[in-house]
Amino acid sequence: MLIVLKKSATESQVAEITRRIRDAGLTPGLVPGARRSAITVTGNTGVAVVPDISELPGVLRIIPVTKPYRLATLEGTEGEHSEWQIGDARVGSTTGWFVAGPCSVDDPDRLLETAHFLKSIGAQALRGGAFKPRTNPYAFQGHGEQGLKWLAEARDETGLPIVTEAMDAQQLELVEQYADVIQLGARNMQNYSLLKRVGQSRLPVLLKRGLTATLDEFLNAAEYILAEGNERVILCERGIRTFGEHCRFTLDVAAIPVLKSLTHLPVIADPSHPAGTRSLDEPLARAALAAGADGLIVEVHPEPRHALSDAQQALRFADIEILAQRARGIASVMDRSFGAAT
Amino acid sequence: MLIVLKKSATESQVAEITRRIRDAGLTPGLVPGARRSAITVTGNTGVAVVPDISELPGVLRIIPVTKPYRLATLEGTEGEHSEWQIGDARVGSTTGWFVAGPCSVDDPDRLLETAHFLKSIGAQALRGGAFKPRTNPYAFQGHGEQGLKWLAEARDETGLPIVTEAMDAQQLELVEQYADVIQLGARNMQNYSLLKRVGQSRLPVLLKRGLTATLDEFLNAAEYILAEGNERVILCERGIRTFGEHCRFTLDVAAIPVLKSLTHLPVIADPSHPAGTRSLDEPLARAALAAGADGLIVEVHPEPRHALSDAQQALRFADIEILAQRARGIASVMDRSFGAAT
Amino acid sequence: MLIVLKKSATESQVAEITRRIRDAGLTPGLVPGARRSAITVTGNTGVAVVPDISELPGVLRIIPVTKPYRLATLEGTEGEHSEWQIGDARVGSTTGWFVAGPCSVDDPDRLLETAHFLKSIGAQALRGGAFKPRTNPYAFQGHGEQGLKWLAEARDETGLPIVTEAMDAQQLELVEQYADVIQLGARNMQNYSLLKRVGQSRLPVLLKRGLTATLDEFLNAAEYILAEGNERVILCERGIRTFGEHCRFTLDVAAIPVLKSLTHLPVIADPSHPAGTRSLDEPLARAALAAGADGLIVEVHPEPRHALSDAQQALRFADIEILAQRARGIASVMDRSFGAAT
Amino acid sequence: MLIVLKKSATESQVAEITRRIRDAGLTPGLVPGARRSAITVTGNTGVAVVPDISELPGVLRIIPVTKPYRLATLEGTEGEHSEWQIGDARVGSTTGWFVAGPCSVDDPDRLLETAHFLKSIGAQALRGGAFKPRTNPYAFQGHGEQGLKWLAEARDETGLPIVTEAMDAQQLELVEQYADVIQLGARNMQNYSLLKRVGQSRLPVLLKRGLTATLDEFLNAAEYILAEGNERVILCERGIRTFGEHCRFTLDVAAIPVLKSLTHLPVIADPSHPAGTRSLDEPLARAALAAGADGLIVEVHPEPRHALSDAQQALRFADIEILAQRARGIASVMDRSFGAAT
């Protein structure tokens, strides 16, 4: 059960609502929110009855929800999906969000060149890793704060908002100083401490699906962020681990329309990580958009040979230009558009 | 190694080539073919040298192949993909093949109605099961030969070729009398006896990928058919089994472009079985086409409630009309078309 | 619902029972059986009521079953598991069944040597492939009938019953002439035509779990055999396909106790195929027995280097002697024994 | 390449070795260690030659390693496995480590009762969660520091060392004050920041395998800890995610012997989480030991009905007594023992 509060609800009204919930043997959870403040009710909700609660001052309405992810669920939204403003883009709208950039930030000049090029073909945000999660401890771990500074410079020059990853609370302090969107990687999808911490951030969050996460687990991970009051979560399908050997991960295109039927949050796709090889990037990008994705986040590099990570899967400038063009074509088939006008 | 024979090669020339291969300690395998007859050479091919074989009369050329599926491989074809004529359609060409029909054939009137409707929206073949593979032995197993007769009648009325499944040699005898394309189901992808038997058929074969088949296993299964002399094989991606619970199978869209890079055979997709629910059929169909599929095979039923199997996943007439329209849109983005002109 | 018939039931009594079921709008299925003849009732069994049927002459008792695999289920058996006599062994009893032999039969002398050795260490049946399912059509496919003859000679010399695979109806004709137990391979687990055919055989059947089969699908596959009247089915866990790369297949030890809780049929394990490498055979064999397997089927070869298939995973004589010894130890921990007394 | 230092190596000697590595264009990494200090050499190690390095004072020996996890690998150890002293137990020795306790700590009296009982049947450490990773943000998250205090009291009363989980740096501060072994959960296996942080702890670490981790990823995760100087890592197989529905996770018993062949670190198993239901705990525990596990970590609860989490899978006292007895039996088959003498 979710109790949506009026904007005008006072502290004492909230205290009274909370007391009533406790009296009924249930646990209230306050969710502060710019868009809608609410109180989640946890406990034996199957038979939950809090007498007369809908009559209390401060209560806008009661939403009975069956899903454990009360705030992420599409239930009670009359099927309306959320849209988040990020830079000039409206993520979750009929215009697909176009994010691109290098896997890791390794050279300020190349980054700037890339950003300018991406801007020219309609990209709406610049991705790039300053802190890189690496399987092996001795592998290149990213340029850290220096990388963040290079990204911020690229934003200042091009106007493209920055999407970059943080892997712990300490990195997050830095990322929040420079970035526009915090990325949480697949391996951290169930890092509950980090989820709670980004839930307290003022920045929107791009949450990647774990390699083996069910959609229920994915939406519960998003709920950790929402429950702390940060409602601007964007989900990202990036491939799951299966027995398949012909690509790095199996892009689960069905997850895209199913997620859209379960949650009001925007759902985008990352075709680069499942592809693992450049020639698959574009087919997977097309497939994800055709399945209904609200956007794409793609790896690109002016000289993939020189990339310090994921060199095999980064697109060259000419490749991504074609990709963007076809993405527009596919979007238009579904009465949508893709990226900024160019 | 593959020795392609001249059309004019005589029996005694073939005998001589074969003798030379045996003399070199290797095993020859004659592959009769309408398009190209060939001899496969098996054994320790790593160091295989058959002296002067390219000089022998009857030999057109020698193709060194690295893949165990010598006939299915794209190697030695100069990247040219095969096209099979089926009815009015050219499967594997830039026109996507449009196959649709009920999961199982259960009523001749409804079947005819369906066939006429499909024809009107550009379908190029009619699918329908007369023999149904069912998990449980007590479930409806199909109408058998009666079902085949109904299918043949629908073809005679509409001109749509018939695609239908056979599960053993005995059923195949019947299917060959009525059908235009033999379908081999996912659970029979490694039924080697059946693969060999359809390899001797005069009909083209639609081979579905097994639930857990690697692409290597899939192409080797096709090779079983090709090695018997039936070259008209069409591959079909239909979803794999993973941990995912949100759809029946996980449509592996990446398999489509990867297969196209490994084999000259056409590759189509079945969105209905992975979807498992009607609302997913269209997004998955769009995704498969966008990934480069050479066609679609879709389940449709005039009144899905009355379907004797797979009722939840069959599209209604109105649904498939939209699907066909969007499929054309997506195909055109890649300079292709979809289905017959309407 | 399952109607168990009295041994004394006459044909006219059976006809009357059958008629009553049909009158109730349901479908009867006669299951002839040496141990118990029965009639399965299919249809809308949720509300199935056949009036007064338990009063009819010839009816022993009515077993309400909730599982679609009515004959394989443990329901209605008072938890009693079935035991099948095969040679001197009682499969499914507290004595674990010990089956071993080469992957494929390739040399009569080595086969005899192997059989004598296995007999000496307590083996109770000899496995060996005359027809081999191979991924690639050009790979060695087995010695066919010659192989069966060699196996039969080994049985005649040692008294060990023969377990060997058939892949189609034609091969089965031959296998039935020579073998004592028909093996159905993992890739044929859902070859429904073959399942029905072995259901009509007089020989017991060793049914291997498919690479991606759920336990429900596995038990339904067994049901296909049982429904044709052949009740002597033995299930075999042999590893499933997962993302894991460190062994050929993932031995699913949990499947063993879960199957034992669902069905009265014996459940054995094949450690060799999941292992894929010799050093893993014994740990997996021990694990399967410790999990409660009713026996083991293991690959062994006097000179693995010379094996024509699966050379890497076959145990040497010294290895299997240790395995047998440890298997006895593990069995005794659970108050069971393993193999024949030596 | 790994350069093992003499115990007597001075700071200036280490500085000289480090300088030489840098001069050769490679990257040195100092690994302080109680048992052996070492310098890892990263870079183009394929052709790495640091002239005369083995002659330098302070160098004990050079170990050429092929694995990216230089410190975790079994290479260069002459096949000798590590043993860690934890309380009275020697983890990794021929005596299997016996760890048990409730999923989450919820009542000090029940915890004490459990600890006393476990001690009496030979347990060597007490597990229990004070901080619980939960899929849903509204689920019970553990009693936090209060739970840690209860655990410490149970240790003080029984002498059993405490194994408990930390999910972030902040929790770790607390856990280090009370616990004897830090547990890292499956969902944190690739939480690289946390891995580095526990690498700086003085406590041994129980690292659980991720739900979808390859063994290579698992060993690289351990390497993150080792590379920071904490060598006392214990690996734990706890089930992977597959298509299987009959248990919560698929216990991958093959991982146990394969890990033992790749690393010198001890490898134990958790049968409770893959089981998901009480009746499977014991079969899986037996299977893991039979496969060669160096110990077991099992969930137990005096009154599972009252457990606040994982109620279905916790063993009752009577159950674990039988488990311990059979575990001893299985261990003895392999000339090992299990738990403390009772």
Side-chain angles (χ1 to χ4, degrees):
Chain A
M1 193 165 74
L2 192 70
I3 300 166
V4 184
L5 300 174
K6 288 181 181 157
K7 291 222 160 181
S8 60
T10 63
E11 263 187 54
S12 69
Q13 286 171 347
V14 170
E16 174 61 16
I17 299 167
T18 301
R19 194 184 61 74
R20 292 283 196 97
I21 295 169
R22 285 223 180 77
D23 286 354
L26 302 168
T27 308
L30 185 62
V31 184
R35 218 176 51 130
R36 62 174 183 183
S37 287
I39 295 173
T40 61
V41 183
T42 325
N44 192 357
T45 53
V47 296
V49 194
V50 185
D52 303 327
I53 199 162
S54 61
E55 312 294 312
L56 289 179
V59 171
L60 179 64
R61 62 186 172 125
I62 311 285
I63 302 178
V65 286
T66 61
K67 302 291 187 184
Y69 39 89
R70 288 131 219 244
L71 301 166
T73 181
L74 192 62
E75 294 171 304
T77 67
E78 279 103 60
E80 198 189 328
H81 285 80
S82 293
E83 300 179 10
W84 314 130
Q85 188 77 35
I86 293 177
D88 295 333
R90 205 147 175 84
V91 184
S93 71
T94 56
T95 300
W97 195 34
F98 181 9
V99 188
C103 176
S104 57
V105 175
D106 44 22
D107 178 291
D109 294 334
R110 271 201 288 250
L111 182 66
L112 254 182
E113 181 194 354
T114 304
H116 278 296
F117 174 75
L118 290 173
K119 174 92 175 178
S120 79
I121 62 166
Q124 296 165 304
L126 180 67
R127 59 146 291 157
F131 300 103
K132 297 300 303 171
R134 300 302 295 269
T135 303
N136 183 263
Y138 312 118
F140 173 64
Q141 310 265 323
H143 282 289
E145 188 167 9
Q146 182 58 62
L148 293 174
K149 285 180 179 163
W150 291 334
L151 285 166
E153 282 164 29
R155 177 198 39 221
D156 295 346
E157 286 242 4
T158 61
L160 290 177
I162 297 304
V163 180
T164 197
E165 179 163 356
M167 290 185 288
D168 58 35
Q170 206 178 326
Q171 289 175 9
L172 194 56
E173 299 284 321
L174 282 170
V175 165
E176 282 177 316
Q177 291 171 39
Y178 297 97
D180 301 282
V181 178
I182 304 160
Q183 180 176 313
L184 287 198
R187 286 162 189 79
N188 274 322
M189 195 204 81
Q190 291 188 308
N191 181 339
Y192 299 123
S193 302
L194 189 57
L195 292 171
K196 285 180 187 169
R197 173 63 186 76
V198 299
Q200 291 149 12
S201 178
R202 64 182 168 79
L203 294 182
V205 180
L206 178 59
L207 178 66
K208 292 202 161 184
R209 182 180 176 194
L211 275 63
T212 192
T214 62
L215 300 193
D216 192 73
E217 289 169 342
F218 194 13
L219 291 169
N220 270 300
E223 187 78 8
Y224 264 94
I225 302 170
L226 299 172
E228 299 289 327
N230 187 348
E231 55 187 357
R232 292 192 293 163
V233 174
I234 299 159
L235 304 174
C236 182
E237 162 63 29
R238 47 79 72 212
I240 56 172
R241 189 161 269 174
T242 71
F243 67 85
E245 296 158 358
H246 54 281
C247 48
R248 210 158 139 205
F249 300 101
T250 299
L251 184 71
D252 178 12
V253 285
I256 297 165
V258 176
L259 282 169
K260 297 288 291 178
S261 73
L262 292 173
T263 180
H264 59 89
L265 299 170
V267 180
I268 70 168
D270 168 357
S272 305
H273 283 87
T277 175
R278 192 171 309 125
S279 62
L280 276 183
D281 277 2
E282 206 220 315
L284 294 189
R286 293 190 313 242
L289 272 191
D294 290 317
L296 295 176
I297 177 164
V298 190
E299 289 192 2
V300 67
H301 201 278
E303 293 166 87
R305 282 172 307 139
H306 292 125
L308 289 177
S309 56
D310 285 351
Q312 295 310 310
Q313 73 200 28
L315 288 174
R316 289 162 302 208
F317 285 4
D319 303 319
I320 199 167
E321 199 162 359
I322 295 171
L323 185 154
Q325 196 178 344
R326 294 220 176 126
R328 281 176 224 279
I330 286 172
S332 77
V333 172
M334 292 172 292
D335 300 320
R336 301 182 69 160
S337 58
F338 181 76
T342 55
Chain B
M1 192 166 73
L2 193 69
I3 300 165
V4 184
L5 300 174
K6 289 183 181 155
K7 291 222 161 183
S8 60
T10 64
E11 264 187 52
S12 68
Q13 286 171 348
V14 171
E16 174 61 14
I17 299 166
T18 302
R19 195 185 60 75
R20 291 284 195 96
I21 295 168
R22 285 225 180 75
D23 285 354
L26 301 169
T27 309
L30 184 62
V31 184
R35 219 175 51 130
R36 62 172 185 188
S37 286
I39 296 173
T40 61
V41 182
T42 326
N44 192 358
T45 52
V47 296
V49 194
V50 185
D52 304 328
I53 199 162
S54 61
E55 311 294 314
L56 288 179
V59 171
L60 180 64
R61 63 189 171 121
I62 310 285
I63 303 177
V65 285
T66 61
K67 301 290 187 185
Y69 39 87
R70 288 132 218 241
L71 301 167
T73 182
L74 190 63
E75 294 172 303
T77 67
E78 279 102 60
E80 199 190 327
H81 286 81
S82 292
E83 300 179 11
W84 314 129
Q85 189 77 34
I86 293 177
D88 295 333
R90 204 146 176 86
V91 184
S93 72
T94 56
T95 300
W97 196 34
F98 182 9
V99 188
C103 175
S104 58
V105 174
D106 44 22
D107 178 292
D109 293 336
R110 272 200 288 248
L111 182 64
L112 255 181
E113 182 195 352
T114 303
H116 278 297
F117 173 75
L118 291 173
K119 174 90 175 177
S120 78
I121 61 166
Q124 296 165 305
L126 180 67
R127 58 147 291 157
F131 300 104
K132 298 300 303 171
R134 300 303 295 269
T135 304
N136 181 263
Y138 313 118
F140 173 65
Q141 311 264 323
H143 282 289
E145 188 167 9
Q146 182 58 62
L148 294 173
K149 286 180 180 165
W150 291 335
L151 284 165
E153 282 165 28
R155 175 193 45 218
D156 295 346
E157 285 242 5
T158 61
L160 291 176
I162 296 304
V163 180
T164 197
E165 179 162 356
M167 290 185 288
D168 60 34
Q170 205 178 326
Q171 288 174 11
L172 194 57
E173 298 285 320
L174 282 170
V175 165
E176 282 177 316
Q177 290 171 41
Y178 296 97
D180 301 282
V181 177
I182 304 161
Q183 180 177 313
L184 287 198
R187 286 162 190 79
N188 275 322
M189 194 205 83
Q190 291 188 308
N191 180 340
Y192 300 122
S193 303
L194 188 57
L195 292 170
K196 285 180 187 169
R197 174 61 187 77
V198 301
Q200 291 149 12
S201 177
R202 60 178 172 82
L203 294 182
V205 180
L206 177 60
L207 179 65
K208 292 201 160 183
R209 181 179 177 196
L211 273 64
T212 192
T214 62
L215 300 193
D216 192 73
E217 289 169 342
F218 193 13
L219 291 168
N220 269 301
E223 187 79 7
Y224 264 93
I225 303 171
L226 299 171
E228 298 288 327
N230 187 349
E231 57 185 356
R232 291 192 293 163
V233 174
I234 299 158
L235 304 174
C236 182
E237 161 63 29
R238 47 78 71 211
I240 57 172
R241 189 162 269 173
T242 71
F243 67 85
E245 295 158 359
H246 53 282
C247 48
R248 214 158 134 202
F249 300 103
T250 299
L251 184 72
D252 178 11
V253 285
I256 297 165
V258 176
L259 282 169
K260 296 289 291 178
S261 72
L262 293 172
T263 180
H264 59 89
L265 298 170
V267 180
I268 70 167
D270 167 359
S272 304
H273 283 86
T277 176
R278 191 172 309 126
S279 62
L280 277 183
D281 277 2
E282 208 221 314
L284 295 189
R286 294 191 312 243
L289 272 190
D294 290 316
L296 295 175
I297 177 165
V298 189
E299 289 193 3
V300 67
H301 201 278
E303 295 166 86
R305 282 173 307 140
H306 292 124
L308 289 177
S309 56
D310 285 350
Q312 296 310 309
Q313 75 199 28
L315 288 174
R316 288 161 301 206
F317 285 5
D319 303 320
I320 199 166
E321 199 162 359
I322 295 171
L323 185 154
Q325 197 178 341
R326 296 221 175 123
R328 280 176 225 278
I330 285 172
S332 76
V333 172
M334 292 171 292
D335 300 318
R336 302 182 69 158
S337 58
F338 180 76
T342 53
Chain C
M1 194 166 73
L2 192 70
I3 299 166
V4 184
L5 301 175
K6 289 181 181 158
K7 291 223 159 180
S8 60
T10 64
E11 265 188 51
S12 68
Q13 286 170 348
V14 171
E16 175 60 16
I17 298 166
T18 302
R19 195 184 60 74
R20 291 283 196 97
I21 295 168
R22 286 222 180 77
D23 286 356
L26 302 168
T27 310
L30 185 61
V31 184
R35 217 175 51 129
R36 62 173 184 184
S37 286
I39 296 173
T40 60
V41 183
T42 325
N44 192 356
T45 53
V47 296
V49 194
V50 185
D52 304 328
I53 198 162
S54 61
E55 311 295 312
L56 288 179
V59 171
L60 180 63
R61 62 188 172 122
I62 310 286
I63 301 178
V65 287
T66 61
K67 303 290 187 184
Y69 39 87
R70 288 132 219 244
L71 300 167
T73 181
L74 191 62
E75 294 172 304
T77 68
E78 280 101 60
E80 201 189 326
H81 285 81
S82 293
E83 300 179 11
W84 315 128
Q85 188 76 35
I86 293 176
D88 295 334
R90 206 150 174 82
V91 185
S93 72
T94 56
T95 300
W97 195 35
F98 181 9
V99 188
C103 176
S104 58
V105 175
D106 44 23
D107 178 291
D109 294 334
R110 270 201 288 249
L111 182 65
L112 254 181
E113 182 195 352
T114 303
H116 278 296
F117 173 75
L118 290 173
K119 174 89 175 180
S120 78
I121 60 165
Q124 297 166 304
L126 181 67
R127 60 146 292 157
F131 299 103
K132 298 300 304 173
R134 300 303 296 269
T135 303
N136 182 263
Y138 312 118
F140 173 65
Q141 311 263 323
H143 283 289
E145 188 166 10
Q146 183 56 64
L148 293 174
K149 285 181 180 164
W150 291 335
L151 284 166
E153 282 165 28
R155 177 196 39 219
D156 294 346
E157 286 242 6
T158 60
L160 290 176
I162 297 304
V163 180
T164 198
E165 180 163 356
M167 290 185 288
D168 59 33
Q170 206 178 326
Q171 289 175 10
L172 193 58
E173 299 283 322
L174 282 171
V175 165
E176 282 177 317
Q177 291 171 40
Y178 297 97
D180 301 282
V181 178
I182 304 159
Q183 180 177 313
L184 288 198
R187 285 163 189 79
N188 275 322
M189 195 204 81
Q190 291 188 307
N191 180 340
Y192 299 123
S193 302
L194 189 56
L195 291 171
K196 285 180 186 169
R197 174 61 187 77
V198 300
Q200 292 149 12
S201 178
R202 63 181 168 81
L203 293 182
V205 180
L206 178 58
L207 178 65
K208 292 201 160 182
R209 183 179 175 194
L211 273 64
T212 192
T214 63
L215 300 193
D216 192 74
E217 288 168 343
F218 194 13
L219 291 169
N220 270 300
E223 187 79 7
Y224 264 94
I225 302 171
L226 298 172
E228 298 289 327
N230 187 350
E231 55 186 357
R232 291 193 292 162
V233 173
I234 298 160
L235 304 174
C236 182
E237 161 63 29
R238 47 78 73 213
I240 55 172
R241 189 160 271 174
T242 71
F243 67 85
E245 296 158 358
H246 55 281
C247 49
R248 212 158 137 203
F249 300 102
T250 299
L251 184 71
D252 178 10
V253 285
I256 297 166
V258 176
L259 283 169
K260 297 288 290 179
S261 73
L262 293 173
T263 179
H264 59 88
L265 298 170
V267 180
I268 71 167
D270 168 358
S272 305
H273 283 85
T277 176
R278 193 172 308 127
S279 62
L280 276 184
D281 277 2
E282 207 221 314
L284 294 189
R286 293 191 312 243
L289 272 190
D294 291 316
L296 295 175
I297 179 164
V298 189
E299 288 192 3
V300 66
H301 201 279
E303 294 166 87
R305 285 172 304 140
H306 292 124
L308 290 176
S309 56
D310 285 350
Q312 295 310 311
Q313 73 199 28
L315 288 174
R316 291 160 300 207
F317 285 4
D319 302 322
I320 198 166
E321 200 163 357
I322 295 171
L323 185 154
Q325 197 179 342
R326 294 220 176 125
R328 279 175 227 279
I330 285 172
S332 76
V333 172
M334 291 173 292
D335 300 319
R336 303 182 68 159
S337 57
F338 181 75
T342 53
Chain D
M1 194 165 73
L2 192 69
I3 299 165
V4 184
L5 300 175
K6 289 183 183 155
K7 290 222 161 181
S8 60
T10 63
E11 265 188 52
S12 68
Q13 287 171 348
V14 172
E16 175 61 15
I17 298 167
T18 303
R19 195 186 58 76
R20 291 283 196 95
I21 295 168
R22 285 224 180 76
D23 286 354
L26 301 169
T27 309
L30 184 63
V31 184
R35 219 175 51 129
R36 61 172 186 186
S37 285
I39 296 173
T40 61
V41 183
T42 325
N44 192 358
T45 54
V47 295
V49 194
V50 186
D52 304 328
I53 198 161
S54 60
E55 312 294 313
L56 288 179
V59 171
L60 180 63
R61 65 190 170 119
I62 310 285
I63 302 177
V65 287
T66 60
K67 302 291 187 184
Y69 39 88
R70 289 133 217 241
L71 301 167
T73 181
L74 191 63
E75 294 172 305
T77 68
E78 280 100 62
E80 199 189 328
H81 285 80
S82 293
E83 301 179 11
W84 315 127
Q85 188 77 36
I86 294 176
D88 295 332
R90 205 147 175 86
V91 184
S93 71
T94 57
T95 299
W97 195 34
F98 181 10
V99 188
C103 177
S104 58
V105 175
D106 44 23
D107 178 291
D109 294 334
R110 271 201 288 248
L111 182 65
L112 255 182
E113 181 194 352
T114 303
H116 278 296
F117 174 75
L118 291 173
K119 174 90 173 178
S120 78
I121 61 165
Q124 296 166 304
L126 180 67
R127 59 147 290 158
F131 299 104
K132 299 299 305 171
R134 301 302 296 269
T135 304
N136 181 265
Y138 312 118
F140 173 65
Q141 311 264 324
H143 282 289
E145 188 167 8
Q146 182 58 63
L148 293 174
K149 285 180 180 165
W150 292 335
L151 285 165
E153 281 164 29
R155 176 193 44 216
D156 295 345
E157 285 242 4
T158 60
L160 291 176
I162 296 305
V163 180
T164 198
E165 180 162 357
M167 290 185 288
D168 59 34
Q170 205 178 329
Q171 289 174 11
L172 195 56
E173 298 284 322
L174 282 171
V175 165
E176 282 177 316
Q177 292 171 40
Y178 297 97
D180 301 282
V181 178
I182 304 160
Q183 180 177 313
L184 287 198
R187 285 163 189 79
N188 275 322
M189 196 205 82
Q190 291 187 308
N191 181 339
Y192 300 123
S193 303
L194 188 57
L195 292 170
K196 285 180 187 170
R197 174 61 186 76
V198 299
Q200 292 149 11
S201 178
R202 61 178 171 81
L203 293 182
V205 180
L206 177 59
L207 179 65
K208 293 200 159 185
R209 181 179 177 195
L211 274 64
T212 192
T214 63
L215 299 193
D216 193 73
E217 289 168 342
F218 194 12
L219 291 168
N220 270 300
E223 188 79 7
Y224 264 94
I225 302 171
L226 299 171
E228 298 288 327
N230 186 350
E231 54 186 358
R232 291 193 293 162
V233 173
I234 299 159
L235 304 173
C236 182
E237 161 64 30
R238 48 77 71 211
I240 56 172
R241 189 161 268 175
T242 71
F243 67 85
E245 296 158 359
H246 55 281
C247 48
R248 214 159 135 201
F249 300 102
T250 299
L251 184 71
D252 178 10
V253 285
I256 298 166
V258 176
L259 282 170
K260 297 288 291 178
S261 73
L262 292 173
T263 180
H264 59 88
L265 298 171
V267 181
I268 70 167
D270 167 359
S272 305
H273 283 86
T277 174
R278 193 173 307 126
S279 61
L280 276 183
D281 277 1
E282 208 221 313
L284 295 189
R286 293 191 314 242
L289 272 190
D294 290 317
L296 295 176
I297 178 164
V298 190
E299 289 193 3
V300 66
H301 202 278
E303 294 165 87
R305 282 172 307 141
H306 292 123
L308 289 177
S309 57
D310 285 351
Q312 296 310 311
Q313 75 199 26
L315 287 174
R316 288 162 302 206
F317 284 6
D319 302 321
I320 198 166
E321 200 163 358
I322 295 172
L323 186 154
Q325 198 179 341
R326 295 220 175 123
R328 281 176 224 278
I330 285 171
S332 76
V333 171
M334 291 172 293
D335 300 319
R336 302 182 68 160
S337 57
F338 180 76
T342 53

